[in-house]
């Protein structure tokens, strides 16, 4: 049955204007509310009760809710409360979001109306719908729902409030607060939803980690070297790692102290890959192979992709530009990762610049000799590698920013490690 048919049937049952019902029904469906739940919601809105023998929303514990659960009534403690603007059907809408918990678990939520929720509040939410969001259930509630203060507080095990360190942030987090130093920042112009828009992007750091950030409503306080408290940020995934998003609703307060920024996070390759991506990590391992696609390569001048025989996959026949790159497989005994070195780092490990590489290739009449030279320099040696790790269907790749040979004695390092274990 089409949406138009559902709207006609519902309007006939309720005795109201079809156009109004269709608009409301379409709004709910496009917010991922199942059609039957949306119809029940509109019946309640227009005083028509429920249909098809379905009962009203049932009381539920958070731990019992899954993506197939219908409308529910829950008594919960508000863990976090954030605010964000979204674009829907050409108009801006403000939504309220965060996490809720009871004694059995926690769940994310989106409120389409302002119910003045604050962390620590214990409330009973009536007629909340459940939708699937990134594979997990999420509570949605709005004008057809009720939110009332609960008579008694709940004893929840989850942390109340949004304060977190950068290392504790994960994609999907909302209403988080962080105290950080702005280590890098730049102004960029993008083609946004309202045309060309200026944003800020860069890197934030604390003593636990560094993460990229984007400020969609540029705050003057976010300048290089500034230590600030950011209240109400949300976290997205960018190239496999968490990215802090600052919005018009984020409060930015300068701190009267300097936030100490730690160095890269030292991980084993297995730990880093297991996280599904990591920003500013340090790995220690041996280069066991220099992969194909290393050495002197050609890139498309339009998109920067590597081209083969002058052909770009996107732009076809192009006048390719020379570049240098290394794709080195790093093995630390726990797993492997491909460390990708840019031109500057490649020149360092090659021992020459791009003109030297061109000359070597011309002399040998073989472009591959450049990669062979790099392999002779790297393979079998141990390196300390710093960069940003992404993990996708193509494997684990480290965008390398530092690449240093390890000169200390492995036997001495192992002995020092054993002494630490014994202690």
């Amino acid at each position: 049955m089409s949406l138009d048919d559902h709207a006609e049937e519902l309007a006939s049952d309720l005795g109201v204007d079809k156009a109004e019902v269709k608009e409301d029904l379409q709004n709910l469906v496009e917010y991922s509310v199942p059609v039957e739940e949306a119809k029940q919601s509109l019946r309640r809105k227009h005083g028509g009760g429920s249909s098809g023998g379905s009962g009203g929303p049932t009381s539920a514990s958070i731990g019992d809710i899954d993506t197939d659960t219908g409308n529910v009534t829950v008594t919960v403690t508000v863990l976090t409360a954030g605010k964000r603007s979204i674009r829907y059907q050409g108009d801006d809408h403000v939504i309220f979001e965060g996490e809720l918990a009871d004694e059995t678990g926690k769940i994310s939520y989106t409120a389409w109306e302002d119910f003045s929720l604050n962390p620590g509040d214990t409330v009973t939410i009536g007629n909340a719908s459940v939708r699937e969001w990134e594979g997990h259930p999420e509570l949605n509630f709005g004008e057809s729902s009720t939110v009332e203060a609960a008579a008694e507080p709940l004893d929840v095990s989850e942390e109340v409030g949004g304060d977190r360190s950068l290392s504790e942030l994960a994609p999907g987090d909302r209403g988080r607060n962080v105290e950080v130093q702005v280590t890098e920042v730049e102004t960029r112009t993008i083609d946004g939803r309202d045309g060309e828009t200026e944003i800020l992007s860069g890197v934030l750091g604390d003593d636990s980690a560094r993460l990229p950030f984007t400020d969609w409503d540029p705050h003057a306080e976010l300048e290089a070297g500034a230590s600030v408290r950011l209240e109400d940020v949300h976290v997205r995934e960018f190239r496999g790692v968490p990215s802090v998003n600052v919005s018009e609703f984020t409060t930015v307060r300068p701190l009267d102290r300097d936030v100490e920024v730690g160095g890269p996070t030292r991980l084993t390759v297995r730990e880093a890959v297991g996280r599904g991506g990591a920003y500013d990590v340090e790995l220690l391992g041996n280069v066991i192979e220099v992969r194909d696609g290393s050495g002197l390569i050609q890139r498309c001048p339009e998109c920067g992709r590597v081209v083969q025989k002058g052909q770009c996959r996107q732009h076809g026949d192009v006048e390719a530009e020379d570049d240098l790159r290394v794709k080195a497989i790093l093995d630390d005994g726990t797993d492997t990762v491909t460390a990708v070195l840019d031109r500057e780092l490649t020149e360092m490990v090659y021992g020459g610049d791009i003109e030297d590489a061109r000359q070597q290739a011309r002399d040998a009449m073989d472009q591959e000799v450049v990669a062979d030279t790099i392999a002779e320099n790297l393979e079998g040696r141990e390196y300390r590698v710093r960069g940003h790790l992404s993990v996708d269907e193509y494997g684990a790749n480290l965008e390398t920013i530092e690449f240093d040979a390890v000169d200390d004695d492995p036997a001495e390092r192992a002995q020092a490690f054993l002494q630490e274990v014994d202690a």
Side-chain angles (χ1 to χ4, degrees), residues 216-398:
W216 301 97
D217 185 53
H219 292 76
E221 298 89 345
L222 297 182
E223 57 183 10
S227 291
V228 295
R229 177 176 173 83
L230 306 178
E231 296 183 351
D232 191 7
V233 300
H234 59 281
V235 184
R236 294 176 178 169
E237 182 177 297
F238 178 70
R239 294 182 180 176
V241 301
S243 175
V244 178
N245 280 251
V246 180
S247 76
E248 61 187 300
F249 300 111
T250 302
T251 300
V252 182
R253 293 194 178 99
L255 296 173
D256 58 4
R257 61 180 179 82
D258 290 334
V259 173
E260 295 295 327
V261 178
T265 304
R266 170 70 71 85
L267 298 172
T268 66
V269 175
R270 178 179 296 173
E271 289 170 334
V273 173
R275 291 186 177 189
Y279 193 85
D280 197 20
V281 295
E282 184 179 82
L283 308 176
L284 192 69
N286 289 83
V287 172
I288 60 173
E289 181 184 350
V290 172
R291 292 180 53 186
D292 291 343
S294 298
L296 184 62
I297 62 172
Q298 283 71 47
R299 293 189 184 276
C300 172
E302 298 292 329
C303 64
R305 287 186 172 90
V306 175
V307 303
Q308 300 290 338
K309 298 181 180 179
Q311 292 292 313
C312 172
R313 286 181 296 171
Q314 181 174 349
H315 297 98
D317 189 19
V318 296
E319 190 69 33
E321 298 176 344
D322 288 338
D323 196 9
L324 287 171
R325 178 182 70 177
V326 174
K327 298 171 69 176
I329 299 179
L330 191 76
D331 187 333
D332 73 344
T334 67
D335 207 338
T336 62
V337 65
T338 299
V340 182
L341 282 61
D342 63 10
R343 180 190 293 192
E344 183 178 351
L345 289 174
T346 299
E347 288 178 344
M348 180 188 73
V349 300
Y350 170 57
D353 61 18
I354 196 163
E355 187 53 47
D356 294 322
R358 292 189 185 112
Q359 187 61 50
Q360 184 184 20
R362 284 194 294 265
D363 291 344
M365 292 186 293
D366 182 4
Q367 182 173 308
E368 295 302 317
V369 298
V370 178
D372 293 341
T373 299
I374 292 172
E376 290 174 4
N377 293 342
L378 298 186
E379 289 180 356
R381 299 185 64 188
E382 187 177 28
Y383 290 87
R384 183 177 290 106
V385 188
R386 179 180 180 181
H388 315 311
L389 179 74
S390 61
V391 181
D392 54 27
E393 65 269 25
Y394 301 107
N397 293 280
L398 188 75

Side-chain angles (χ1 to χ4, degrees), residues 75-90:
T75 297
V76 290
T77 294
V78 180
L79 301 180
T80 60
K83 187 177 181 181
R84 187 158 55 96
S85 175
I86 63 171
R87 178 62 60 91
Y88 173 67
Q89 291 188 336

Side-chain angles (χ1 to χ4, degrees), residues 128-256:
S129 64
V130 180
R131 72 164 182 172
E132 181 177 333
W133 177 251
E134 296 185 347
H136 302 283
E138 178 188 80
L139 284 183
N140 276 237
F141 46 98
E143 62 181 2
S144 62
S145 307
T146 59
V147 177
E148 300 176 347
E152 298 290 338
L154 297 178
D155 183 18
V156 298
S157 59
E158 303 291 340
E159 182 178 356
V160 176
D163 287 10
R164 297 291 188 275
S165 66
L166 290 180
S167 64
E168 295 173 312
L169 297 182
D173 283 352
R174 326 169 199 188
R176 295 295 191 223
N177 312 318
V178 293
E179 294 188 352
V180 294
Q181 182 186 132
V182 182
T183 63
E184 300 174 29
V185 64
E186 66 173 342
T187 300
R188 295 194 294 122
T189 300
I190 64 168
D191 187 13
R193 62 191 187 189
D194 297 315
E196 286 194 351
T197 304
E198 279 198 353
I199 64 171
L200 298 180
S201 63
V203 179
L204 304 174
D206 64 11
D207 62 359
S208 71
R210 300 178 192 228
L211 288 179
F213 82 92
T214 300
D215 183 357
W216 301 97
D217 185 53
H219 292 76
E221 298 89 345
L222 297 182
E223 57 183 10
S227 291
V228 295
R229 177 176 173 83
L230 306 178
E231 296 183 351
D232 191 7
V233 300
H234 59 281
V235 184
R236 294 176 178 169
E237 182 177 297
F238 178 70
R239 294 182 180 176
V241 301
S243 175
V244 178
N245 280 251
V246 180
S247 76
E248 61 187 300
F249 300 111
T250 302
T251 300
V252 182
R253 293 194 178 99
L255 296 173
D256 58 4

Side-chain angles (χ1 to χ4, degrees), residues 46 212 363 422:
H46 292 283
D363 291 344
D422 291 340

